[in-house]
Amino acid sequence: MPASHKNAVYVYRHSADQDAARPVHHPVIVVGAGPSGLTAGIDLAFRGVRGVVLDDNDTVSVGSRAICFSKRTLEIWQRLGCAAPMLEKGIEWRLGKVFFGKQRVFEFNLQPEPGHGMPAFINLQQYYVEEMLIERAMRLGVDLRWRNRVVGIREHDDCVWVDIDTPDGRYVLTADYVVAADGANSPVRDMLGLESAGQVFNDQFLIADVVVEAPFPTERWFWFDPPFHEGQSVLLHRQADNVFRIDFQLGADADGNAALEPASIAPRIRAMLGDKVAWSLDWASVYTFRCRMMERFVHDRVIFVGDAAHQVSPFGARGANGGVQSAENLTWKLARVLRGESPVALLESYDNERREAARENILNSTRATDFITPKSHVSRVFRDSVLRLAANEPFARALVNSGRLSTPCAYRHSPLSTPDADRFEGAARPGAVCPDAPVVRLGRREFLLDSLGKRFTVICSGGGLPEGLRDDADIDVLEVGVDFDDVEGLVSKRLDLVAGGAYLIRPDQYVCARWRVPTADDVVTAWRRACALS
Amino acid sequence: MTLNRQPNFDDADAFYAALIEAHRDFSDAESEAMNARLVLLLANHIGSHDVLFEALDTARTSVLEERT
């Protein structure tokens, strides 16, 4: 357990369900209260579905683990009303330095593009994130059940039976759907005889969280082959509470247990930070990783999210971020299906979209891993050449890959998207997240994404709203100049939205269709498609 | 754009001599490192995804053909 943080402990409470004569039924049971499961539970509550969240433990993440949360993830949590404390506690860094051997080869400054509600990312320990999500879940009345371990699962035609073990013994619940968010080693996956297949990496890594009291820059430092850890790589970046994450690559043959000994860690850190910096070791852990995913994420009434469904290497911050984004993709669809508003086929699009995202995340994190840990002689020669050139040749810096910024997948093959019939500039194509921009709505400065509600939204401009849509029960309308002001012109710029045009935005803030001059029929047809109604 | 496989050098003989000369006194490891840098410099200059992939494929196929 880290010294700098005392994990909250959540008390096991006996539920009335445990005394019921027959298994009590719930619409959704979420298994696992990590970032993905908690996001699913909160978003379901937000959409009016009161789910039960089961966790086999009674606390949050032990150790900092996932520490980098991306803009899209923060936008999701902002929508769910819990981003503010994270932004306050989290660390934003801009300056990164890359070292090779003894040389500092270059530095970069991630100047964020102005006019977005959320930063490109923050660094914050996973235990804080989970505590903040749990607080939000409790406020929304999510039924969180600690020390409730799933020990059996049986799929029937009309529901799922879940066997649960607790300190008071076993009980059974039934559910329309089970969301399995129970982590990389998902017991639910095992119980159903399913597997997650992919690549195993043999390289071991040592995480050391170190508390540095003296002023130390808020920068990300990445060393390839440093003099204090020859032949390997080291990453240093800052988290909340003056805790610095140091990631040491150990190689495939290292003795992981020996590397964890404080006597082995201390000289490395001293060599890195220098003799003048006072520090204390907060937490250390050795890990290896895999890049793998399930062949299907939807198994009738059991749906996998997060690491249970797709697992990546840590380089590029696509693990927890990908998990949260999967959870959000699923919840609005699940809520519609449970309310009978959409057929079960809508859930197939979760499988389609999030498997595409998982492939993209695995591709990105594998590329970073292969750059950081070259697997062959020639790959090391090219890697080292890139780093040598990078000192003086700006072009080579584009090839230096110590983990790319985690960005959300723009779904290319989504069955929910209506292909463009008109020409548009910019990145806001069907299947991509709606870009953010500053707006003024009801006299208040806010951001476009804050203005989107729980339902589908038409964003339109200058007469682009077809007759009758204002009164549609399932579609909100945001008309430029009527419902909000595009104060800096960035809505029109980023969406390439000019008078007469319109966008249809899904409940998860993804674009599903856009037109230069839409008819009501266009919008309704696209909406039906995005709801799997056609 | 496609890979230009027609003669395109200003002066082919001069280039070849300069290429060999550039490796003068290098160990195998140094030559390997230089070749890597040369590939990276030229690849960036070309830039085009299609041309680069065609070049990679052409070079790889040529080496594979020697196996038989």
Side-chain angles (χ1 to χ4, degrees):
Chain A
M1 202 70 95
S4 69
H5 179 80
K6 197 171 178 324
N7 273 10
V9 173
Y10 304 97
V11 188
Y12 161 76
R13 287 207 173 77
H14 188 90
S15 157
D17 289 357
Q18 291 167 251
D19 307 321
R22 297 162 51 102
V24 176
H25 186 81
H26 293 271
V28 181
I29 294 173
V30 179
V31 185
S36 308
L38 288 167
T39 300
I42 295 168
D43 205 2
L44 284 166
F46 182 75
R47 298 187 186 283
V49 178
R50 200 164 164 274
V52 176
V53 179
L54 307 174
D55 196 89
D56 58 358
N57 210 329
D58 61 359
T59 187
V60 289
S61 165
V62 174
S64 54
R65 295 169 68 197
I67 62 164
C68 190
F69 295 94
S70 73
K71 176 172 187 280
R72 181 61 205 150
T73 299
L74 294 169
E75 285 167 355
I76 293 168
W77 288 336
Q78 168 78 352
R79 181 173 62 73
L80 298 176
C82 47
M86 299 174 186
L87 294 173
E88 190 175 329
K89 186 78 187 168
I91 300 285
E92 272 185 70
W93 59 267
R94 306 260 163 90
L95 200 63
K97 290 179 179 160
V98 176
F99 302 84
F100 181 37
K102 289 180 185 144
Q103 190 192 11
R104 188 171 86 197
V105 286
F106 70 102
E107 50 183 72
F108 56 90
N109 194 338
L110 297 171
Q111 282 293 353
E113 184 184 63
H116 294 266
M118 293 295 121
F121 53 87
I122 59 167
N123 280 5
L124 183 62
Q125 295 92 315
Q126 185 172 337
Y127 41 75
Y128 279 125
V129 167
E130 289 181 3
E131 284 175 8
M132 290 165 183
L133 289 170
I134 289 164
E135 183 167 337
R136 185 67 183 138
M138 286 172 165
R139 270 181 197 278
L140 285 169
V142 176
D143 188 347
L144 290 162
R145 299 188 187 179
W146 306 101
R147 298 180 70 188
N148 273 240
R149 189 161 59 91
V150 173
V151 291
I153 191 152
R154 289 161 285 160
E155 288 205 68
H156 294 253
D157 285 344
D158 55 346
C159 67
V160 189
W161 288 57
V162 182
D163 301 307
I164 301 156
D165 198 21
T166 74
D168 292 332
R170 292 189 175 193
Y171 71 111
V172 179
L173 292 178
T174 61
D176 292 309
Y177 288 94
V178 166
V179 176
D182 52 348
N185 299 316
S186 173
V188 169
R189 200 176 61 212
D190 287 346
M191 284 176 227
L192 292 177
L194 301 168
E195 60 174 31
S196 184
Q199 197 179 357
V200 179
F201 291 83
N202 296 318
D203 263 293
Q204 300 177 89
F205 286 80
L206 166 71
I207 291 180
D209 276 354
V210 168
V211 179
V212 179
E213 290 303 343
F216 202 81
T218 304
E219 299 172 355
R220 180 189 197 259
W221 292 2
F222 200 102
W223 282 269
F224 295 95
D225 198 6
F228 53 85
H229 194 50
E230 278 178 19
Q232 310 287 356
S233 68
V234 178
L235 168 64
L236 168 81
H237 53 163
R238 186 177 205 143
Q239 314 167 53
D241 301 336
N242 295 322
V243 176
F244 286 74
R245 159 71 62 84
I246 308 174
D247 234 311
F248 292 98
Q249 180 195 350
L250 297 177
D253 306 323
D255 178 344
N257 284 328
L260 268 175
E261 292 294 327
S264 154
I265 296 176
R268 288 190 170 127
I269 296 175
R270 215 173 294 123
M272 194 170 100
L273 298 179
D275 290 333
K276 295 194 185 94
V277 177
W279 55 270
S280 59
L281 185 64
D282 198 39
W283 176 71
S285 162
V286 169
Y287 68 90
T288 56
F289 53 80
R290 295 175 177 205
C291 289
R292 56 177 179 167
M293 61 190 279
M294 296 178 72
E295 206 173 291
R296 284 185 53 76
F297 297 170
V298 177
H299 285 267
D300 298 321
R301 292 176 176 274
V302 179
I303 303 171
F304 292 84
V305 302
D307 280 357
H310 43 72
Q311 199 183 346
V312 296
S313 86
F315 307 112
R318 286 168 184 264
N321 287 305
V324 168
Q325 288 161 32
S326 283
E328 137 152 294
N329 184 288
L330 176 62
T331 43
W332 71 271
K333 297 171 182 174
L334 205 46
R336 284 195 72 92
V337 170
L338 284 165
R339 281 196 298 264
E341 295 165 351
S342 281
V344 176
L346 183 60
L347 300 177
E348 277 303 305
S349 72
Y350 166 76
D351 204 81
N352 177 304
E353 293 178 342
R354 293 314 296 175
R355 277 193 298 120
E356 181 183 354
R359 281 192 297 272
E360 185 176 296
N361 287 334
I362 287 173
L363 179 72
N364 272 284
S365 85
T366 303
R367 284 175 173 173
T369 306
D370 288 342
F371 191 86
I372 293 164
T373 60
K375 298 291 184 290
S376 67
H377 171 73
V378 72
S379 125
R380 180 171 286 270
V381 168
F382 272 111
R383 200 282 303 270
D384 289 354
S385 293
V386 164
L387 290 167
R388 286 283 172 240
L389 286 171
N392 296 313
E393 304 286 348
F395 88 84
R397 293 171 197 163
L399 298 169
V400 175
N401 189 347
S402 63
R404 300 280 179 227
L405 191 62
S406 172
T407 50
C409 179
Y411 311 125
R412 288 178 185 282
H413 314 294
S414 173
L416 308 188
S417 293
T418 298
D420 280 338
D422 306 316
R423 282 185 63 88
F424 280 90
E425 299 297 319
R429 61 180 172 78
V433 176
C434 178
D436 206 3
V439 300
V440 168
R441 193 173 61 115
L442 304 172
R444 247 173 36 129
R445 241 191 118 81
E446 60 175 35
F447 286 89
L448 179 62
L449 295 183
D450 300 326
S451 311
L452 298 171
K454 296 176 188 178
R455 308 186 298 175
F456 281 81
T457 305
V458 168
I459 302 174
C460 57
S461 177
L465 184 70
E467 283 293 310
L469 275 184
R470 277 264 171 213
D471 309 317
D472 193 289
D474 212 19
I475 302 176
D476 292 327
V477 172
L478 283 176
E479 189 172 351
V480 180
V482 176
D483 300 288
F484 71 94
D485 288 318
D486 183 13
V487 278
E488 295 182 24
L490 287 173
V491 174
S492 102
K493 184 175 171 212
R494 289 180 182 157
L495 276 67
D496 187 17
L497 178 64
V498 293
Y503 273 69
L504 182 63
I505 311 292
R506 306 180 347 183
D508 58 358
Q509 305 183 336
Y510 268 73
V511 175
C512 56
R514 55 183 178 174
W515 306 267
R516 288 297 180 196
V517 184
T519 65
D521 194 43
D522 287 337
V523 177
V524 170
T525 303
W527 170 79
R528 287 182 60 84
R529 181 174 185 149
C531 294
L533 290 166
S534 56
Chain B
M1 217 181 350
T2 54
L3 182 68
N4 181 0
R5 289 153 83 170
Q6 298 305 312
N8 190 41
F9 292 109
D10 286 346
D11 184 339
D13 288 349
F15 165 73
Y16 191 80
L19 177 65
I20 304 304
E21 175 61 17
H23 284 269
R24 185 159 51 86
D25 301 336
F26 275 0
S27 66
D28 287 351
E30 286 168 332
S31 275
E32 188 177 40
M34 192 193 117
N35 281 340
R37 282 161 224 217
L38 191 60
V39 167
L40 295 167
L41 281 158
L42 296 176
N44 177 68
H45 181 83
I46 293 163
S48 156
H49 178 277
D50 289 350
V51 174
L52 290 171
F53 276 64
E54 194 183 336
L56 285 171
D57 188 53
T58 306
R60 181 177 171 80
T61 304
S62 163
V63 173
L64 285 175
E65 277 167 4
E66 284 172 40
R67 277 189 180 173
T68 49

